[in-house]
Amino acid sequence: MTAFAFVFPGQGSQSVGMLDAWGDHPEVLRAVQEASDSLGEDVGRLIKEGPKETLALTTNTQPVMLVAGVAAWRVWRAEGGALPAVVAGHSLGEYSALVASGALTLAQAAPLVRFRAAAMQEAVPVGTGAMAAILGMDADRVKAGCAEAQAAFAAGSGEVVEAVNFNDPAQTVIAGSKAAVEKACEVLKANGAKRALPLPVSAPFHSSLMKPAADKLRERLAETTFATPQIPVVNNIDVAVEADADRIRDALFRQAFGPVRWVECVQAIKARGITTLVECGPGKVLAGMTKRIDAELTGAPLFDPASLAEAKALLA
C-alpha cells in the first residue's frame, strides 16, 4: 500500500446529518456513544437533527466535528484500512489527529474540546470579534495589510487584526477585533486581494485575543493525561512532531491563540515522501487545499462508505 497521511478537518465542515451515510455502522455508533457518555448529552441526536444553528454554536461544533472525524477513522481501521504514516488536523482537527494517534481517548478529548470552545467564546463577547478569508493574495502581503490596517488605529485602542490561518498559497484567514478586521478587508482589497469574505464565526479564533481562553485551556490540559502517540502528529503551531506529553500540551495551549500553519504542515508531510493525503471526516475542504498547496499531491475525502472505498482503491 502507498504511504499516505490522514488529515482531520476543523470547524466549518459540520452539517446536520453528517453521519447518516454511515448508517448503523457499529464503529460510528460506538464513537457517538462514547462522546455522549463523556459529555452527558445525546451527541448523536444533535448531529442527526441539529438544527443547523445549534450545530454551528462553537461549543457544539467542536465536539461534533471531533466525533465525526474519529468515527470515520474508526470505520477505516475496522474495514481493514492501513495505518497512515503521519496524521495532522486543521485547528480543532488536531485533537482528532491526537485521538487517532492514541495520544488521547475520545472520552478524554470530547470534554476537552468543549471546554476549549467555551473558553474561546467567553474570551471575546459575540459581535466584538471577527474573521475574514482573504482570497487571491499571498500570505506576506496579507500580513503587511493587517499591519497597515492596525496602524490606522490609535496606540492602545485595543484594535487587533492578524493573519491566523494559512490555508493555501492564495487563501489566508485574518482575525481580530471587528473594527480592525473590517478595516483590514478594505485595505487588502485596495491592495489587490480578489475577495475579502467575512466568515460566519462567533469568535476571532487563533488570534492573540484568544490568549485568555488559552490560559484557561492550559490549566485543563495540565490535568489531562497524554499517552505517547503511536503515529507521528504534525502540529499546527510549530509544524513539528512531538512525543513528550508536556510538549504536546504546550503546543495545544499555543495553538489556541497562534496561527494555523496549514500550508507548512502539508509541505512537511510531503517532505516525508508522502504524496496522498486523506481527509478523514465531513466535507472536502482539506482535500481541495491539498491540491492548491502543491499540484503534485493528491487529496482524497473519507466521509461515507463510497469515499472510503475510493480511498482504499487509491491507496492499493
Side-chain angles (χ1 to χ4, degrees), residues 4-7 85-88 232-241 261-277 290 293-294 297:
F4 63 98
F6 259 40
V7 293
V86 63
V87 294
V233 183
V234 179
N235 69 30
N236 290 177
I237 191 69
D238 299 318
V239 195
V241 173
R261 297 163 62 185
W262 193 248
V263 171
E264 292 172 88
C265 287
V266 171
Q267 290 168 339
I269 289 170
K270 184 188 180 186
R272 289 172 169 256
I274 294 166
T275 57
T276 303
L277 285 73
T290 296
I293 290 169
D294 192 320
L297 299 178

Side-chain angles (χ1 to χ4, degrees), residues 148-171:
E148 183 182 335
Q150 192 163 319
F153 296 93
S157 67
E159 300 293 346
V160 173
V161 59
E162 299 155 349
V164 297
N165 288 2
F166 299 96
N167 287 337
D168 70 41
Q171 184 197 118

Side-chain angles (χ1 to χ4, degrees), residues 185 192 218 284 289 311:
C185 287
R218 177 158 59 178
K284 302 178 182 179
M289 285 181 192

Side-chain angles (χ1 to χ4, degrees), residues 164-204:
V164 297
N165 288 2
F166 299 96
N167 287 337
D168 70 41
Q171 184 197 118
T172 302
V173 174
I174 63 173
S177 55
K178 192 168 187 291
V181 170
E182 289 172 351
K183 178 65 176 176
C185 287
E186 291 174 19
V187 168
L188 290 163
K189 282 192 283 189
N191 289 355
K194 285 185 181 177
R195 300 183 75 184
L197 301 174
L199 298 179
V201 296
S202 54

Side-chain angles (χ1 to χ4, degrees), residues 74-287:
R74 289 183 175 178
V75 173
W76 169 261
R77 294 292 289 145
E79 298 297 327
L83 284 173
V86 63
V87 294
H90 189 284
S91 184
L92 163 71
E94 190 165 307
Y95 288 80
S96 305
L98 286 164
V99 173
S101 79
L104 287 172
T105 65
L106 179 56
Q108 287 177 302
L112 184 59
V113 298
R114 168 151 286 170
F115 180 88
R116 175 182 185 264
M120 286 177 161
Q121 195 58 76
E122 290 164 10
V124 180
V126 174
T128 61
M131 298 181 78
I134 309 303
L135 308 180
M137 177 176 276
D138 70 66
D140 286 341
R141 292 182 67 200
V142 173
K143 287 191 279 188
C146 287
E148 183 182 335
Q150 192 163 319
F153 296 93
S157 67
E159 300 293 346
V160 173
V161 59
E162 299 155 349
V164 297
N165 288 2
F166 299 96
N167 287 337
D168 70 41
Q171 184 197 118
T172 302
V173 174
I174 63 173
S177 55
K178 192 168 187 291
V181 170
E182 289 172 351
K183 178 65 176 176
C185 287
E186 291 174 19
V187 168
L188 290 163
K189 282 192 283 189
N191 289 355
K194 285 185 181 177
R195 300 183 75 184
L197 301 174
L199 298 179
V201 296
S202 54
F205 302 117
H206 297 290
S207 74
S208 57
L209 296 178
M210 290 288 103
K211 181 63 164 54
D215 289 336
K216 291 180 183 177
L217 179 62
R218 177 158 59 178
E219 294 178 13
R220 184 66 176 260
L221 288 166
E223 301 166 359
T224 304
T225 301
F226 285 79
T228 302
Q230 299 304 298
I231 306 168
V233 183
V234 179
N235 69 30
N236 290 177
I237 191 69
D238 299 318
V239 195
V241 173
E242 302 290 1
D244 176 75
D246 284 339
R247 293 180 70 90
I248 293 171
R249 289 187 186 96
D250 183 57
L252 291 173
F253 156 67
R254 289 181 292 116
Q255 187 230 46
F257 65 101
V260 175
R261 297 163 62 185
W262 193 248
V263 171
E264 292 172 88
C265 287
V266 171
Q267 290 168 339
I269 289 170
K270 184 188 180 186
R272 289 172 169 256
I274 294 166
T275 57
T276 303
L277 285 73
V278 178
E279 178 175 5
C280 187
K284 302 178 182 179
V285 172
L286 300 184

